[in-house]
Amino acid sequence: MTLDRSHFLVGGEWRVPATNETVEIVEAATEKPLGTAPLAGTADVDAAVAAARAALRGPWGRTTGVERAEAMRRFAAALRSRGRETSELVSRENGMPRALSLGANGFSPAITLDYYAGLAGTVDAEDVRPGMLSRTSVRRGPVGVVAAITPWNYPQALAAMKIAPALAAGCTVVLKPAPETALDAYVFADAALEAGLPAGVLNVLPGGRSAGAHLVEHPGVDKVAFTGSTAAGRAIGAACGRLLRPVTLELGGKSASLVAEDADLAAFAAALPEVSLANNGQTCHACTRILAPRSRYAEVVDAVTDTVRALRIGDPLDKATRIGPLVSAAQRERVLAHIDAGRRSGLRLTAGGAIPADQPTGWFVEPTVFADVDNAAALAQEEIFGPVLVVTPYADEDEAVALANDSQYGLGGTVWTTDVERGLALADRIESGSVGVNHYGLDVAGPFGGVKASGLGREMGPEGLTPYIAYKSVYLAPERTP
Ligand code: NAD
């Protein structure tokens, strides 16, 4: 049985697509058809933006924070009740191991919605500030219609990181998910209908690049929230710059794990699969560069190699699996091309490097480690978006920090040391939007985003709400004393 979808959610109703274009979603581990979904054309995007604008002008645009929080909590509950099924569906679509998908796709959207429901009241709270001349009433309202464009790697979590603050601020949303994970996007549509979100507040239409580009430039859109590749982010940023349209961009990464001389290598190795290879390496903040002190270099290479060789590769639906397949045949080709280039340039391969012999079906790639990699090498500079790690030696802490920062990206990073103060000091020196000390874990309460080519702006935390708010200062005349 396949999970076919044939309509878009537009204006609270199931809309018949304007074109016949569809995408077949293929299960990453079995290469069998999973279902089909329609792909939006320009007329569909126009209809979705019109519906979102109508909803903004309707009662939703006049709701209080308390009312929006109630709607968001109902929406969260509807998502939560589907959490297990959703996590399995995403694992089938993109190969994410189930143990990770359960939290990242199954339950994090509801957590994010509940978190921002808790902040919705701050949007319309009274805020009159005494100033130098008089008083200023700071008014906050929704920025307007939001175009939310998401990739396939953490499709549920990344969509929720846009939908939740947008709804809390009173915005309306057009969600355009990636074609590869079009099916799970319908969970948002089903849950929105079940929760009784007013018509047009959330519109869902899968589409390709051209539908995304049309949405970004649409005159009816007030703000763009994008997660995806740096190349697409640059194109979207350029369009938004020309239009002077607010935009948040969550883009690629090539983060470093800085292993200090005093690191607990057992703890580092235990966390390595999660920190460096989560979702089969298809994670924007994965620490795929390991910076190792020369004094303990062989020990670190052995720890990384042994850990990676021991990872269980297999069916992503099996909870014991640590490495599943990549999302598509094309993605596997890209990753294998990077590995081949590394091999041809004479780099020392210590683990993996091939398609696993016992996984002839599905887009699997063995988790792979190259040692002695110069940080200037392509393998250390380019985002591979697969299970490929490089180990690079450093002489002292200054060199380690310089290597960590010698990247076009700045999204994640970790520092491994038994001296937490030292870890914090090193974290401060790393040019990145987030760094973990002896751990890495995104948290709904903390702002997440990149510097340099990793993006613009932040999602999550109270900071993630601000881009969805339009501020207006109303200057009040000084009060006269009788
Ligand atoms: P992608 O950029 O190809 O596509 C992402 C989304 O944008 C898709 O929905 C796609 O249809 C759409 N799109 C592509 N080009 C567009 C354009 N010119 N205009 C409008 N929409 C367009 O990325 P991908 O391959 O799906 O995802 C992988 C990338 O996403 C990696 O680079 C990864 O690092 C990045 N990513 C970043 C974060 C983060 O938070 N920083 C999180 C996850 C993934």
Side-chain angles (χ1 to χ4, degrees), residues 446-474:
F448 176 75
V451 299
K452 302 193 275 186
S454 289
L456 287 177
R458 295 290 179 269
E459 292 188 318
M460 308 225 275
E463 294 81 1
L465 178 58
T466 312
Y468 296 92
I469 296 176
Y471 292 89
K472 184 184 285 178
S473 288
V474 176

Side-chain angles (χ1 to χ4, degrees), residues 149-153 158 176-179 207-209 212-213 216 226-230 232 235-236 250-253 284 383 385 411 448 454:
I149 301 179
T150 48
W152 44 261
N153 64 336
L158 296 168
K176 192 217 74 66
R209 185 166 295 197
V216 165
F226 172 77
T227 299
S229 62
T230 293
I236 290 168
E250 297 283 358
L251 309 176
C284 52
E383 183 184 49
F385 229 52
L411 189 58
F448 176 75
S454 289

Side-chain angles (χ1 to χ4, degrees), residues 40-216:
T42 54
D44 301 306
V45 172
D46 294 348
V49 173
R53 187 144 293 279
L56 192 69
R57 291 206 187 104
W60 179 257
R62 295 185 292 278
T63 47
T64 63
V66 171
E67 289 164 340
R68 289 194 299 280
E70 279 169 8
M72 290 171 70
R73 291 195 173 107
R74 286 197 309 272
F75 187 24
L79 288 170
R80 194 177 289 113
S81 70
R82 294 163 166 77
R84 282 184 188 281
E85 287 165 41
T86 309
S87 67
E88 183 176 325
L89 175 57
V90 177
S91 291
R92 288 185 189 276
E93 286 173 315
N94 73 3
M96 182 185 291
R98 186 74 195 287
L100 173 61
S101 191
L102 202 58
N105 295 301
F107 295 106
S108 86
I111 292 169
T112 305
L113 274 158
D114 281 338
Y115 175 80
Y116 280 105
L119 295 182
T122 63
V123 177
D124 47 28
E126 190 174 319
D127 183 1
V128 179
R129 303 179 191 173
M132 276 188 309
L133 302 174
S134 152
R135 292 166 305 143
T136 300
S137 171
V138 179
R139 329 284 282 189
R140 297 178 190 80
V143 83
V145 173
V146 172
I149 301 179
T150 48
W152 44 261
N153 64 336
Y154 289 76
Q156 289 281 312
L158 296 168
M161 281 156 66
K162 295 160 183 58
I163 295 168
L167 299 191
C171 296
T172 57
V173 178
V174 176
L175 172 66
K176 192 217 74 66
E180 294 87 343
T181 46
L183 295 175
D184 72 83
Y186 281 90
V187 175
F188 286 109
D190 295 342
L193 288 174
E194 183 185 302
L197 270 195
V201 168
L202 176 66
N203 305 277
V204 181
L205 66 170
R209 185 166 295 197
S210 59
H214 183 63
L215 180 60
V216 165

Side-chain angles (χ1 to χ4, degrees), residues 264-278:
D264 173 350
L265 281 193
F268 161 72
L272 183 83
E274 206 183 317
V275 170
S276 300
L277 292 165

Side-chain angles (χ1 to χ4, degrees), residues 9 14 84 86-87 119-120 130 188 245 303 331 367 372 385 407 411 421 479:
L9 181 68
W14 292 112
R84 282 184 188 281
T86 309
S87 67
L119 295 182
F188 286 109
R245 182 164 292 171
Q331 182 72 3
D372 317 341
F385 229 52
S407 169
L411 189 58
E421 287 305 315
E479 278 169 8

